[in-house]
Amino acid sequence: MGKGKKLQVKKDFGEILDSSMDTMEETRFRKRNQNLMVKLSRKYHFNFTEVERLLLIYYKLSKESKDPRVGVDKTQFRDVLHCALDMTDDSLMDRIFLALDKGPSAFISMETWIASLSVFLRGTFEEHIHFCFSVYDIMGDGILSRDTMTNLLKNSIVSQTGDDDAEETARDMIEVITKKMDIDRDGKISFNDYKQSVVKQPMLLEVFGQCLPTRTDIHTFVTTFTNDIGKM
């Protein structure tokens, strides 16, 4: 996403957050979704009030979607990740979406919205390990092959730096990474290899590309719906 477009998306998102709703409309929305709010507050890392506020944001976004009757579309959600959480590694965005929502729909449900933000904003270390690996596991077989790792790194390097020698740089980095993370020395990184390595060295969590927002961006977004910053 170009800088100009990103600034426009950020402005649009800010306007949506700041927009007010008709009192009756808001009341109807809350009443209609009260049972869902209770369910989601029990299932994810938000209390009832936080779920309610996040779903109101969802509802405001949905009114600007391709089909407001269905909900927030994935393009909108991608823009939210870009502008609100500064997740700008385009090479991984499709993988991130697949890890969050494996359904074929072009829209995301209210539960997927809450579940995704739960992982991004308040996910446990264990949840982050599972999430990041699922993003990197392109083949879905629980294994990161050397080719997969090289492609992930190459795409990430190109996305962030535009380096013309990204493939060569990636191959050099793979040698270092496999020495650290290929615990059973079979030339691949299994989930267990990845988890054990990340537990020992947490900085390896996003070694193949950014899957999660930074603490600064989390803090900024969390303040839009709660004062309880201590749960970050």
Side-chain angles (χ1 to χ4, degrees), residues 53-72:
R53 290 172 180 169
L54 286 170
L55 288 185
L56 283 170
I57 293 174
Y58 174 96
Y59 182 59
K60 290 179 183 181
L61 285 168
S62 72
K63 293 171 75 174
E64 305 294 327
S65 81
K66 296 173 183 175
D67 188 343
R69 296 168 300 175
V70 180
V72 172

Side-chain angles (χ1 to χ4, degrees), residues 72 74 77 94-109 112-113 116 131:
V72 172
K74 288 184 178 178
F77 190 37
D94 289 339
R95 294 295 315 159
I96 287 171
F97 273 114
L98 190 59
L100 293 171
D101 183 5
K102 294 179 172 57
S105 174
F107 297 83
I108 64 167
S109 67
T112 297
W113 167 258
S116 302
F131 177 70

Side-chain angles (χ1 to χ4, degrees), residues 18 26 36 64 77-78 83 87 92 97-98 101-102 112 131-132 176 192 201 208-210 213 215 222 224 228 230:
D18 292 339
E26 186 172 321
L36 176 63
E64 305 294 327
F77 190 37
R78 189 186 190 106
C83 70
M87 296 177 66
L92 278 180
F97 273 114
L98 190 59
D101 183 5
K102 294 179 172 57
T112 297
F131 177 70
C132 289
V176 177
N192 286 335
Q201 298 184 56
F208 298 114
Q210 183 189 5
R215 288 186 64 82
V222 166
T224 65
D228 191 0

Side-chain angles (χ1 to χ4, degrees), residues 37-54:
M37 292 173 183
V38 171
K39 172 190 168 185
L40 297 181
S41 66
R42 290 172 177 169
K43 190 173 181 180
Y44 299 105
H45 300 304
F46 301 115
N47 61 38
F48 179 85
T49 300
E50 291 167 342
V51 168
E52 184 179 59
R53 290 172 180 169
L54 286 170

Side-chain angles (χ1 to χ4, degrees), residues 79-138:
D79 289 343
V80 169
L81 297 184
H82 266 291
C83 70
L85 294 175
D86 202 31
M87 296 177 66
T88 56
D89 190 340
D90 288 327
S91 67
L92 278 180
M93 288 307 294
D94 289 339
R95 294 295 315 159
I96 287 171
F97 273 114
L98 190 59
L100 293 171
D101 183 5
K102 294 179 172 57
S105 174
F107 297 83
I108 64 167
S109 67
M110 285 191 276
E111 178 159 3
T112 297
W113 167 258
I114 295 296
S116 302
L117 292 177
S118 180
V119 171
F120 289 140
L121 304 179
R122 294 206 177 132
T124 64
F125 188 41
E126 182 79 14
E127 287 173 334
H128 285 169
I129 289 173
H130 280 271
F131 177 70
C132 289
F133 188 84
S134 69
V135 172
Y136 300 145
D137 183 14
I138 294 172

Side-chain angles (χ1 to χ4, degrees), residues 168-206:
E168 184 177 343
T169 303
R171 291 191 184 283
D172 291 341
M173 291 175 66
I174 289 299
E175 296 302 323
V176 177
I177 291 170
T178 51
K179 285 180 182 178
K180 286 180 175 290
M181 302 185 77
D182 182 13
I183 294 173
D184 55 10
R185 298 291 181 258
D186 63 353
K188 299 171 287 189
I189 295 179
S190 66
F191 174 73
N192 286 335
D193 288 338
Y194 176 80
K195 181 177 180 178
Q196 288 181 51
S197 301
V198 171
V199 168
K200 283 184 180 179
Q201 298 184 56
M203 289 183 66
L204 293 172
L205 179 66
E206 296 178 90

